[in-house]
């Protein structure tokens, strides 16, 4: 805080550029405690746009009033008289980020255009207080956590894979198929340079490479957390096609294509899985499609939606998901 | 006396497979699942719209801590259990002392533990 103070005291207060470079969540207030400037970290912490933050009184901000009379007095009267407050604890339920414990530090700034007196307020989110020495132990526990996480995923797969009415061998093959897709997805997710969708699809559908024809679309990288779910969803589509769909006959095949659509709130990847040459859909019925694993994989894992269209020519699946 | 509606359990979990399994286990146990929510914001929205009777919380949501959700639930006096592989020592202060069902969770004990917690509430 002292370094920041010195830096700002010697610089031009009004220059937004200085506040923008500060790593900590900081708000600069005028004498009436209205916000005149904020750092990017402040916007990130309170999940607010810069334009919305600047202007209102600090304590009206974020579903206020959230100040105690004491803090208001400290900021309103004591700090302007060249005193500083350090690490004053505030507990409040902030909209969008929940209840947080914040340490508030504030200091008066000298200078500024027209001799105005500004106050710099810094926030530190200490909702989780951790023993600093636990940092190293935490790394070890993260590693252990990843291994345990894989156990949890395998356990979920084992439980979810249909057993009732299937032979032991059929269950085992179904489980192992999904488990291998899971491992493949995990491995791809951990690669430093994440594969683009084309490479990912190629790897996921590799066991049936000669039966799946890809009409490549634009180069697109998924978010890291979408990689494993995508591999599993593709595996489900492949398994369904093999047991009930186009790939259950020698002549049947699958065409995979994709496009990117620009939407108001970001880009969307639209993947099309088209089956053709397989048994008539009317004969096969809709057994096995839209399994819980596919639904959860798409909605929770990918954050997207999936649609199944049973055309006379074959099943058409369209998958839509937001991408970075 | 009319049959009571099933208790509503908020599930907060970011891994879709684990969320899927939890939903299956809780539904099989006669409980209604709210969510699952995979982020703090999603969980807080569910709490605001449909107050849960209890909750199962994963601790680490893709790098985000579930602590703000736990704090909100405590204020509303909604009981919760954790489902995490983290050991007690590595948990944030706000979560220490909460019952941890572990990861993977044992299907029988999570349902019986939740029902016991719900039975204890007025």
């Amino acid at each position: 805080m002292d370094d920041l103070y010195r830096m700002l005291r010697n610089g031009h207060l009004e220059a937004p550029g200085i506040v923008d470079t500060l790593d900590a969540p900081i708000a600069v207030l005028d004498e009436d405690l209205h916000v005149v400037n904020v750092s990017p970290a402040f916007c990130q912490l309170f999940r607010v746009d810069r334009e919305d933050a600047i202007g209102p009184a600090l304590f009206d901000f974020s579903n206020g009033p959230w100040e105690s009379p004491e803090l208001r007095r400290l900021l309103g009267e004591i700090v302007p008289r060249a005193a500083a407050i350090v690490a004053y604890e505030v507990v409040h339920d902030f909209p969008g980020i929940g209840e947080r414990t914040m340490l508030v530090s504030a200091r008066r700034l000298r200078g500024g255009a027209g001799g105005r007196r500004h106050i710099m307020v810094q926030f530190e989110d200490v909702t989780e207080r951790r023993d600093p020495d636990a940092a190293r132990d935490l790394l070890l526990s993260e590693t252990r956590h990843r291994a345990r996480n894989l156990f949890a995923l395998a356990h979920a797969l084992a439980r979810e894979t249909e057993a009732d009415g299937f032979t032991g061998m059929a269950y085992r093959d179904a489980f192992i198929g999904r488990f291998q897709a899971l491992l493949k997805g995990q491995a791809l997710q951990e690669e430093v340079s994440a594969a683009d969708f084309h490479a990912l699809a190629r790897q996921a559908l590799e066991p049936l490479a000669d039966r799946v024809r890809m009409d490549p679309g634009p180069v697109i990288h998924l978010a890291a957390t979408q990689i494993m779910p995508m591999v599993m969803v593709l595996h489900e589509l492949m398994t369904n096609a093999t047991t009930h769909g186009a790939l259950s006959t020698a002549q049947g095949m699958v065409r995979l294509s994709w496009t990117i659509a620009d939407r108001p709130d970001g880009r969307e990847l639209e993947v099309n899985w088209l089956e053709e040459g397989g048994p008539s859909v009317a004969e096969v019925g809709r057994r096995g499609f839209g399994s819980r694993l596919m639904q959860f994989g798409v909605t929770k894992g990918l954050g997207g939606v999936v649609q199944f269209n049973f055309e006379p020519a074959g099943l058409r699946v369209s998958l839509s998901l937001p991408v970075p | 006396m009319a049959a009571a509606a099933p208790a509503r359990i908020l599930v907060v979990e970011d891994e879709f497979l684990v969320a899927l399994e939890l939903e299956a286990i809780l539904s099989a146990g006669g409980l209604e699942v709210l969510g699952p929510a995979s982020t703090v914001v999603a969980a807080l929205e569910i709490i605001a719209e449909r107050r849960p009777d209890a909750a199962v919380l994963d601790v680490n949501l893709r790098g985000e801590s579930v602590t703000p959700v736990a704090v909100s639930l405590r204020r509303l006096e909604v009981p919760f259990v954790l489902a995490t592989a983290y050991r007690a020592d590595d948990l944030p202060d706000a979560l220490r002392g909460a019952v941890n069902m572990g990861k993977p969770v044992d299907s029988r004990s999570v349902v019986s533990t939740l029902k016991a917690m719900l039975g204890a509430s007025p």
Side-chain angles (χ1 to χ4, degrees):
Chain A
M1 187 75 181
D2 282 329
D3 290 340
L4 290 167
Y5 171 66
R6 246 177 266 123
M7 186 169 78
L8 278 167
R9 188 180 61 185
N10 296 328
H12 194 312
L13 264 185
E14 301 292 318
I18 293 173
V19 176
D20 283 344
T21 62
L22 301 175
D23 285 344
I26 284 172
V28 179
L29 315 179
D30 65 15
E31 293 159 302
D32 301 317
L33 303 185
H34 284 249
V35 180
V36 299
N37 208 348
V38 291
S39 67
F42 178 94
C43 297
Q44 267 167 30
L45 175 59
F46 289 104
R47 306 226 177 147
V48 67
D49 288 336
R50 197 185 158 77
E51 303 79 61
D52 296 330
I54 294 178
L58 182 68
F59 292 129
D60 288 339
F61 170 75
S62 192
N63 217 28
W66 50 268
E67 87 288 14
S68 62
E70 196 183 329
L71 182 60
R72 184 176 267 278
R73 196 172 72 90
L74 284 169
L75 286 184
E77 293 166 20
I78 294 175
V79 171
R81 293 197 202 118
I85 55 170
V86 179
Y88 183 85
E89 189 173 302
V90 171
V91 179
H92 180 68
D93 191 346
F94 296 94
I97 59 172
E99 184 162 301
R100 301 290 173 110
T101 302
M102 300 276 188
L103 296 184
V104 179
S105 302
R107 191 143 205 168
R108 202 190 86 177
L109 298 170
R110 287 205 192 88
R116 267 175 297 183
R117 290 176 186 175
H118 286 178
I119 298 167
M120 184 168 80
V121 186
Q122 179 172 334
F123 297 84
E124 193 186 342
D125 186 348
V126 294
T127 308
E128 304 128 55
R129 292 176 215 246
R130 276 185 218 219
D131 184 339
D133 295 328
R136 189 174 16 107
D137 295 337
L138 196 60
L139 189 61
L140 279 170
S141 101
E142 276 291 345
T143 314
R144 188 172 34 235
H145 183 257
R146 278 181 214 264
R148 293 296 296 275
N149 204 48
L150 193 55
F151 290 143
L153 297 179
H155 187 272
L157 262 189
R159 206 179 180 283
E160 180 61 19
T161 298
E162 196 66 57
D164 195 16
F166 290 87
T167 64
M169 278 185 62
Y171 170 84
R172 185 197 66 185
D173 290 345
F175 170 76
I176 287 180
R178 281 175 167 174
F179 189 63
Q180 283 174 341
L182 169 66
L183 290 175
K184 193 180 284 189
Q186 288 274 30
L188 286 168
Q189 200 162 294
E190 277 162 23
E191 269 170 32
V192 174
S193 59
D196 64 309
F197 177 73
H198 189 180
L200 207 136
R202 240 196 329 231
Q203 297 217 37
L205 302 169
E206 186 263 329
L208 287 163
D210 53 339
R211 308 289 303 278
V212 176
R213 200 182 92 189
M214 279 198 241
D215 298 330
V219 174
I220 179 70
H221 287 78
L222 302 181
T225 53
Q226 291 174 315
I227 294 173
M228 189 272 275
M230 178 60 87
V231 171
M232 297 212 68
V233 166
L234 288 172
H235 179 266
E236 285 299 286
L237 287 171
M238 189 170 67
T239 308
N240 287 338
T242 309
T243 40
H244 311 295
L247 303 183
S248 66
T249 65
Q251 317 91 295
M253 59 166 296
V254 173
R255 276 164 51 156
L256 181 71
S257 63
W258 63 93
T259 57
I260 298 174
D262 281 310
R263 301 259 182 261
D265 43 350
R267 299 196 299 172
E268 255 179 31
L269 169 63
E270 291 168 357
V271 180
N272 294 297
W273 171 280
L274 308 176
E275 297 187 13
E276 38 189 64
S280 144
V281 170
E283 294 164 13
V284 173
R286 305 185 180 199
R287 231 176 33 219
F289 296 111
S291 66
R292 283 184 79 238
L293 192 140
M294 174 113 63
Q295 283 299 328
F296 266 75
V298 170
T299 56
K300 302 290 172 187
L302 299 176
V305 292
V306 63
Q307 228 182 337
F308 296 97
N309 293 306
F310 296 90
E311 306 279 320
L315 171 68
R316 279 162 147 54
V317 184
S318 51
L319 183 58
S320 188
L321 55 144
V323 285
Chain B
M1 195 162 81
R8 295 184 306 272
I9 315 294
L10 167 66
V11 171
V12 184
E13 170 58 62
D14 61 338
E15 292 272 11
F16 82 91
L17 277 174
V18 179
L20 185 151
E21 183 186 37
L22 270 172
E23 204 210 58
I25 290 171
L26 297 177
S27 298
L31 301 165
E32 182 194 338
V33 171
L34 303 184
S38 53
T39 62
V40 166
V41 173
L44 293 176
E45 272 168 6
I46 293 175
I47 291 172
E49 282 168 34
R50 301 190 64 198
R51 198 201 130 133
D53 299 309
V56 178
L57 308 181
D58 177 25
V59 168
N60 187 336
L61 306 172
R62 290 174 192 171
E64 197 186 11
S65 170
V66 82
T67 301
V69 179
V71 170
S72 292
L73 290 172
R74 280 221 168 96
R75 285 196 131 199
L76 292 167
E77 292 180 5
V78 173
F80 61 86
V81 296
L82 305 180
T84 178
Y86 281 116
R87 292 180 316 179
D89 294 345
D90 300 328
L91 290 174
D93 280 1
L95 300 178
R96 274 188 221 175
V99 174
N100 184 8
M101 306 304 316
K103 206 169 204 179
V105 70
D106 180 280
S107 45
R108 272 165 299 188
S109 44
V110 70
V111 172
S112 59
T113 302
L114 283 171
K115 285 184 171 173
M117 282 176 144
L118 293 165
S121 314

